[in-house]
Amino acid sequence: MSTFLAILVGQILVNNYVMCQFFGICPFLGVSKKFDTALGMGLAVTFVITVASFITWLVQSFVLTPFHLEYLQTIAFILVIAVLVQLVEMALKKLSYSLYQALGVYLPLITTNCVVLAVAINNITDGYNLLESTFSGFCSALGFTLALLLLAGIRERMEVSNMPKWMQGFPGALIMAGLMAVAFMGFGGLI
């Protein structure tokens, strides 16, 4: 049980992939203008990372390692992620077309979002079993979603605030992202 608690706290706060390891910055800055869009992206990424963590562990354990094909890990993992993103894209197009349009180009970019691949590879590198790997993926995605939602809330608040002209829009978002990263670094000693 302590392993799962360490994974939970570690992936969401201490080793947050966006705030502490700086993976996934493109969708983090690109989709964080509106809270609803950020939530949709966070849910899509959560699904993809969680299922990708599960499937990539199976691929690594039952295909790559037994047949000594570990050198194909990155390619195999990217293929798994691409298929999952296609499934999410088709589902969103059918179930929530407005969210599908709002996410725009960032939805297919989940395939190349380095946080998804980093989580899958780190789960194998850290020696997690299937359950730990899946839980780690879920917690990592929650950390990504948390960072995305926090920045979206700040950016929405900045839109209605009286800000200096030089800080409006993207420059202000970069400053806020930097301050958030500093704040997340404060969790460094928790585990």
Side-chain angles (χ1 to χ4, degrees):
M1 191 61 163
S2 64
T3 303
F4 289 101
L5 183 61
I7 291 172
L8 177 74
V9 173
Q11 301 298 51
I12 294 175
L13 298 175
V14 178
N15 297 317
N16 185 295
Y17 277 89
V18 179
M19 295 285 97
C20 299
Q21 299 182 33
F22 309 112
F23 287 115
I25 298 297
C26 179
F28 172 68
L29 292 172
V31 183
S32 61
K33 291 179 184 174
K34 299 281 184 224
F35 191 84
D36 294 339
T37 308
L39 179 61
M41 176 61 112
L43 293 175
V45 168
T46 299
F47 175 78
V48 170
I49 290 179
T50 304
V51 176
S53 295
F54 179 81
I55 294 173
T56 55
W57 189 91
L58 293 174
V59 167
Q60 181 73 32
S61 298
F62 295 112
V63 178
L64 299 178
T65 302
F67 295 108
H68 305 291
L69 299 172
E70 292 91 351
Y71 60 91
L72 293 175
Q73 181 185 59
T74 303
I75 294 169
F77 287 7
I78 289 173
L79 289 174
V80 167
I81 293 165
V83 168
L84 290 172
V85 170
Q86 285 298 109
L87 292 174
V88 168
E89 190 171 0
M90 289 187 301
L92 279 180
K93 196 171 187 178
K94 288 278 187 195
L95 300 174
S96 179
Y97 191 74
S98 60
L99 178 59
Y100 171 78
Q101 285 184 315
L103 291 175
V105 71
Y106 293 101
L107 187 58
L109 285 177
I110 295 175
T111 303
T112 59
N113 187 348
C114 54
V115 72
V116 182
L117 183 60
V119 169
I121 290 174
N122 285 343
N123 287 339
I124 301 301
T125 304
D126 292 343
Y128 291 150
N129 62 33
L130 179 61
L131 189 57
E132 292 169 343
S133 181
T134 306
F135 186 68
S136 172
F138 178 72
C139 292
S140 299
L142 286 182
F144 177 83
T145 303
L146 174 67
L148 195 62
L149 292 177
L150 288 173
L151 185 61
I154 292 169
R155 287 181 79 174
E156 281 189 354
R157 179 70 185 241
M158 287 173 61
E159 287 295 319
V160 296
S161 298
N162 188 13
M163 304 289 293
K165 186 153 184 83
W166 66 268
M167 199 170 164
Q168 293 175 357
F170 196 68
L174 285 176
I175 291 169
M176 291 304 117
L179 291 173
M180 285 175 57
V182 170
F184 269 80
M185 294 291 183
F187 294 117
L190 282 179
I191 55 172

